[in-house]
Amino acid sequence: MYVRSAVKGRSAAWYRGVLETNQGRIWAGRVEKDVSFVAAEPAVFDEVDAAYRSKYRRYAGRILNSCLTPEARATTLKLLPR
């Protein structure tokens, strides 16, 4: 699983916190997990872009495009279970 800090980029509070600890907790539906965050390899950026396009295509324009900027791509993190 991958995440990006699309709207506020590197200045987002959650992103800065993750960079300090490299750890966090995520919730999705009824699943709650402790995770580690690691910087994603640029080789996966195009695949992550495609996933954002697929998931958020109904929000085309400014919302989707904010996830695909070079700045947002540079914040791509991979989540690993702890």
Side-chain angles (χ1 to χ4, degrees), residues 1 25-33:
M1 181 182 296
R25 178 169 278 244
I26 61 166
W27 294 266
R30 295 180 182 198
V31 176
E32 183 175 340
K33 295 282 182 183

Side-chain angles (χ1 to χ4, degrees), residues 5-18:
S5 182
V7 177
K8 294 187 177 185
R10 294 182 186 273
S11 67
W14 77 266
Y15 186 79
R16 290 190 325 266
V18 162

Side-chain angles (χ1 to χ4, degrees), residues 1-27 35-40 48 52 56 66-67 71-80:
M1 181 182 296
Y2 295 89
V3 295
R4 286 183 175 162
S5 182
V7 177
K8 294 187 177 185
R10 294 182 186 273
S11 67
W14 77 266
Y15 186 79
R16 290 190 325 266
V18 162
L19 293 182
E20 288 179 23
T21 65
N22 294 317
Q23 297 181 7
R25 178 169 278 244
I26 61 166
W27 294 266
V35 296
S36 295
F37 294 90
V38 296
V48 174
Y52 272 101
Y56 297 113
S66 71
C67 299
E71 294 81 13
R73 293 178 96 205
T75 67
T76 306
L77 299 170
K78 184 175 185 177
L79 282 68
L80 302 171

Side-chain angles (χ1 to χ4, degrees), residues 58-73:
R58 69 180 176 267
Y59 302 110
R62 192 177 54 150
I63 294 171
L64 175 58
N65 291 341
S66 71
C67 299
L68 307 174
T69 66
E71 294 81 13
R73 293 178 96 205

